[in-house]
Amino acid sequence: MPHINAAAALQICVLLSALPAQYFISQWYGTDSAQRIQITERLIIASWSSFTKSHLSLDAWTDRLKLWLSKTRTRLNVVLFILHFRNWYHGEKKTKIGDNEAETHSYFAESTHVHSPKPEYIQFSVGQVIVHKRFGYSGVIVGWDVKAKAPEEWLQHNYPPAKQDLKDTPHYRILINKANGFGKSTAYIPEEEITIIIGLEVVHHPDMKAYFSGYDGSKYVMQPWLKKIYPHD
């Protein structure tokens, strides 16, 4: 099969379109042969001029290129916007999750922020051995808050209207001495329910070594990481 190049294809298309054009001209402009030839020539010249302006003109291709670049730039801007929005959304989501986790870990005197300066009204220190005034169990202080920090449900359950004032007093996290057989391993209690024991090493708890390195005769000695959180205790 012979190969047909672009020029040959164009010529064939012009020849094939001549018959329908000639028929159209004969129907609308009469049957005079000279007139039909003249009109056909004008039609061919007009079509060729339109074709060259649309497909062979540098300006036409420049306009097409500008349009393509404009659409491409628009698509690129849309993609960049979507990517930016997705990164922002996931970043915000992670931040909120991180904030929620940080808020949760700040409950019950478990916050890791440095407690400095220490308010003068905080009477007791991390490492001191205590006895609960009402329940009688012993334990050791491992953290404190200037006022109760706990989920709202916990505060409502533990501090009914008659005890609302206690929420705004210092609270202490306690590792409970397992020898007491109290059942709970930790407690979070207000300052007014604590009595200090000095000079007696009485606390037995599986987490003691994680918080303390020993006992100095008056209180337990904090591990370095805990001392950084409570530098004034």
Side-chain angles (χ1 to χ4, degrees):
M1 181 177 180
H3 178 70
I4 300 177
N5 56 28
L10 180 60
Q11 292 175 356
I12 293 173
C13 291
V14 172
L15 292 174
L16 290 176
S17 63
L19 289 176
Q22 203 169 30
Y23 174 78
F24 173 78
I25 292 169
S26 66
Q27 293 295 317
W28 289 93
Y29 295 98
T31 58
D32 183 77
S33 176
Q35 186 180 14
R36 288 200 302 269
I37 292 173
Q38 186 179 13
I39 294 175
T40 301
E41 290 176 348
R42 291 177 183 175
L43 181 61
I44 293 173
I45 292 172
S47 299
W48 176 254
S49 176
S50 175
F51 175 81
T52 55
K53 288 181 180 179
S54 300
H55 296 86
L56 302 181
S57 170
L58 180 61
D59 292 337
W61 282 104
T62 301
D63 292 339
R64 284 190 176 87
L65 180 60
K66 289 180 180 179
L67 179 61
W68 179 81
L69 289 175
S70 176
K71 291 182 179 180
T72 302
R73 190 180 298 110
T74 301
R75 294 190 188 100
L76 180 60
N77 289 336
V78 171
V79 171
L80 291 175
F81 173 79
I82 293 172
L83 291 175
H84 177 74
F85 177 79
R86 186 181 66 178
N87 292 337
W88 171 84
Y89 173 79
H90 289 293
E92 284 292 308
K93 187 175 181 180
K94 289 179 181 179
T95 300
K96 290 179 180 179
I97 292 173
D99 290 343
N100 291 336
E101 290 178 349
E103 182 180 359
T104 300
H105 291 157
S106 69
Y107 292 153
F108 306 115
E110 288 188 295
S111 174
T112 57
H113 80 272
V114 178
H115 290 54
S116 179
K118 183 178 181 179
E120 294 182 357
Y121 56 84
I122 303 292
Q123 297 184 33
F124 308 129
S125 301
V126 174
Q128 287 185 306
V129 179
I130 64 95
V131 172
H132 195 285
K133 291 180 180 179
R134 290 189 297 124
F135 300 129
Y137 62 77
S138 61
V140 60
I141 299 172
V142 293
W144 51 261
D145 291 320
V146 295
K147 64 179 181 179
K149 289 185 178 181
E152 188 61 31
E153 296 80 4
W154 187 93
L155 293 173
Q156 291 178 1
H157 175 75
N158 287 274
Y159 295 115
K163 294 185 176 181
Q164 286 293 302
D165 293 343
L166 285 177
K167 291 194 302 183
D168 296 325
T169 63
H171 277 61
Y172 298 83
R173 180 174 178 83
I174 309 296
L175 293 185
I176 298 175
N177 185 7
K178 301 301 289 184
N180 298 148
F182 190 70
K184 293 173 61 178
S185 61
T186 62
Y188 188 62
I189 54 181
E191 191 171 80
E192 71 167 28
E193 296 185 351
I194 290 176
T195 297
I196 296 296
I197 299 176
I198 298 177
L200 185 62
E201 185 180 3
V202 296
V203 180
H204 301 282
H205 191 282
D207 294 334
M208 286 294 291
K209 290 184 179 180
Y211 288 93
F212 306 107
S213 59
Y215 187 76
D216 66 4
S218 62
K219 67 175 186 177
Y220 284 92
V221 179
M222 289 183 281
Q223 294 283 9
W225 70 267
L226 190 57
K227 184 64 177 178
K228 289 181 180 179
I229 299 174
Y230 299 96
H232 305 296
D233 282 23

